[in-house]
Amino acid sequence: MKEALRIAVQKSGRLSENSLKLIKECGIHFDNGIGKLRTVAYNFPAEFLFLRDDDIPGYVQDGVADLGIVGENVAVEKDRNVRIIKRLGFSKCRLSIAVPRTRSYNGIQDLNGKNIATSYPKLLGDYLKEHHISANIHEISGSVEIAPSIGLSDAVCDIVSSGSTLLTNGLKEVETIFRSEAVMIARPEVSAAKEKILKQLLFRLDAVQKGNNSKYILLNAPQEATEKIISLLPGMRSPTVLPLAMGGWNSIHSVVDEDRFWEVIEQLKDAGAEGILVVPIEKMIV
Ligand code: ATP
Ligand code: ZN
């Protein structure tokens, strides 16, 4: 086989589905038989390895894989010689310290001398050090949230997204120590041939992300409102304006940021826009 990028993704867990979806959106296809640990893409020089997320930074450092998709929390915790080359925007969560709900908490100094259970000793250790707190870090690999109720620790430091797991375990979140999302990590250096493939992949990822973050918008506007509406729509260069068959009206097309979308729609309506259509964008190359 010609040179191919080796990309490590989580075998099964909270990153798997979105990682595979993103790869597919980049137009890269492969057979993903159940239980398969390795597969080769048909239409792109890439090979995929399916691994536990915790092992991915180490494998990328050692060159077993060239790239990997992991939570930023894992990328930083493992402290390997890898670089974060792209933030991927999914699996957003935070790493927080939580204490039993019934316990009073008046600030981080209350953690002095306490036992804190976590699977993230480095991230927690760095945070405590930065805040001049001396606590005992008790490293455990799973089910961290039950540690206080079984008498193993006074507090926990764990991943939180909605907070419902903390709630059902009688805990309250008191400090957020790290905010995470999925990231793509890479070996510090790859061969020139692989660097070329990596560039192609990053180009596709960019196009997919820009598309996901934008909407295509089409609307009708009376001639007299056209100028005002154009000023509200930045577009990629400038909006397209096409006359409708009915005189005195135009159809205006443009691209709007997902983040600004609702605000812009309101302004467009107020300016006299009608028949507004909003369409998803699959890929966007600027
Ligand atoms: P593995 O079996 O591969 O070791 P795991 O159990 O360690 O998996 P997951 O629970 O699948 O890991 O979480 C993987 C990553 O997804 C985490 O490191 C974190 O970045 C992110 N994550 C974890 N929990 C959530 C959540 N509730 N919401 C969003 N993202 C999360
Ligand atoms: Zn894991």
Side-chain angles (χ1 to χ4, degrees), residues 55-196:
D55 297 334
I56 292 176
Y59 281 142
V60 171
Q61 170 183 277
D62 298 343
V64 174
D66 302 300
L67 300 180
I69 297 177
V70 287
E72 194 180 358
N73 51 315
V74 168
V76 177
E77 176 66 31
K78 298 296 172 188
D79 201 17
R80 301 301 169 121
N81 185 20
V82 298
R83 55 197 167 117
I84 292 177
I85 57 167
K86 193 129 192 83
R87 314 183 69 77
L88 301 174
F90 60 84
S91 298
K92 287 195 174 166
C93 58
R94 56 192 187 273
L95 188 62
S96 291
I97 299 175
V99 300
R101 238 190 357 256
T102 50
R103 179 100 39 88
S104 73
Y105 184 85
N106 301 306
I108 192 159
Q109 69 282 355
D110 286 9
L111 296 173
N112 261 318
K114 295 289 189 321
N115 287 311
I116 310 177
T118 190
S119 307
Y120 297 92
K122 177 186 154 44
L123 282 164
L124 175 59
D126 289 351
Y127 184 84
L128 294 175
K129 199 166 158 202
E130 194 184 310
H131 290 82
H132 312 290
I133 302 296
S134 148
N136 306 310
I137 297 177
H138 196 98
E139 184 178 351
I140 51 179
S141 59
S143 304
V144 172
E145 62 284 356
I146 63 159
S149 64
I150 58 172
L152 195 66
S153 72
D154 305 301
V156 301
C157 173
D158 204 6
I159 296 286
V160 182
S161 67
S162 67
S164 60
T165 308
L166 293 182
L167 207 67
T168 48
N169 286 283
L171 299 170
K172 62 180 174 191
E173 190 175 356
V174 292
E175 306 284 342
T176 297
I177 75 162
F178 191 80
R179 291 190 185 276
S180 180
E181 66 185 90
V183 293
M184 182 166 275
I185 55 171
R187 290 167 64 186
E189 276 183 60
V190 293
S191 67
K194 286 189 177 179
E195 191 67 47
K196 215 169 133 191

Side-chain angles (χ1 to χ4, degrees), residues 202-256:
L202 287 172
F203 176 81
R204 292 188 189 194
L205 281 170
D206 243 21
V208 170
Q209 284 188 330
K210 286 206 180 86
N212 287 343
N213 294 334
S214 308
K215 299 277 179 219
Y216 193 74
I217 183 165
L218 303 93
L219 57 87
N220 294 332
Q223 181 59 41
E224 60 275 15
T226 300
E227 202 175 320
K228 165 84 181 157
I229 286 175
I230 288 173
S231 73
L232 296 170
L233 290 169
M236 289 222 270
R237 260 184 209 285
S238 93
T240 308
V241 180
L242 300 165
L244 291 191
M246 184 172 72
W249 281 76
N250 292 315
S251 166
I252 304 177
H253 303 190
S254 191
V255 173
V256 179

